[in-house]
Amino acid sequence: MRLVGPETAAEREVREWFEYQRRTNLERLEAGAQTLIQLITGVYGVLFAVLALSDQPVYLSRSVVVWMGSIGLVVFFAALIAAVMVVIPRPLRYQLDNLTEMQHTYERLVRRKATMLVVAQLGFVLGIACLIAVILAVLWQW
């Protein structure tokens, strides 16, 4: 940290970049959650297509397909709920004339949205792993 002298152009650029990141943090979190919601609903369709065929082939009774399919459905649904929690607006309570309280409220909001987005991402990855296991079990007849 520089203690004396005016701010250099490079220092100002770094400070402005971090300020921009802080200002756009909520929008990026919500955009990430919306992308996950779209991906999850699309992958849900693929998983249902593999699991819910009308003629009920033999592979649907295999334990790997039943367990991984069931776990995948539950995990995708949990990830979908977590991603929706990021984008659903909630009322914020704070004093309009108290900047410290406003800053703490903002930090709690960002922390909650970031945590829910991480939960949604982990659920999405686990759901994809289950989907891959189901597809491999069907293809390789496990």
Side-chain angles (χ1 to χ4, degrees), residues 20-93:
Y20 174 77
Q21 297 304 313
R22 187 189 66 77
R23 275 188 317 230
T24 60
N25 197 15
L26 283 176
E27 291 88 9
R28 287 180 292 137
L29 285 171
E30 290 177 356
Q34 290 170 349
T35 301
L36 264 178
I37 290 168
Q38 293 168 351
L39 287 171
I40 290 167
T41 53
V43 173
Y44 246 145
V46 172
L47 187 56
F48 277 124
V50 171
L51 294 177
L53 296 174
S54 60
D55 60 356
Q56 298 294 317
V58 176
Y59 68 78
L60 286 180
S61 63
R62 293 190 188 121
S63 62
V64 172
V65 173
V66 170
W67 280 103
M68 288 295 110
S70 299
I71 292 169
L73 289 175
V74 169
V75 170
F76 275 137
F77 190 69
L80 187 60
I81 289 172
V84 168
M85 295 294 292
V86 175
V87 295
I88 289 181
R90 289 179 49 182
L92 300 175
R93 301 193 195 305

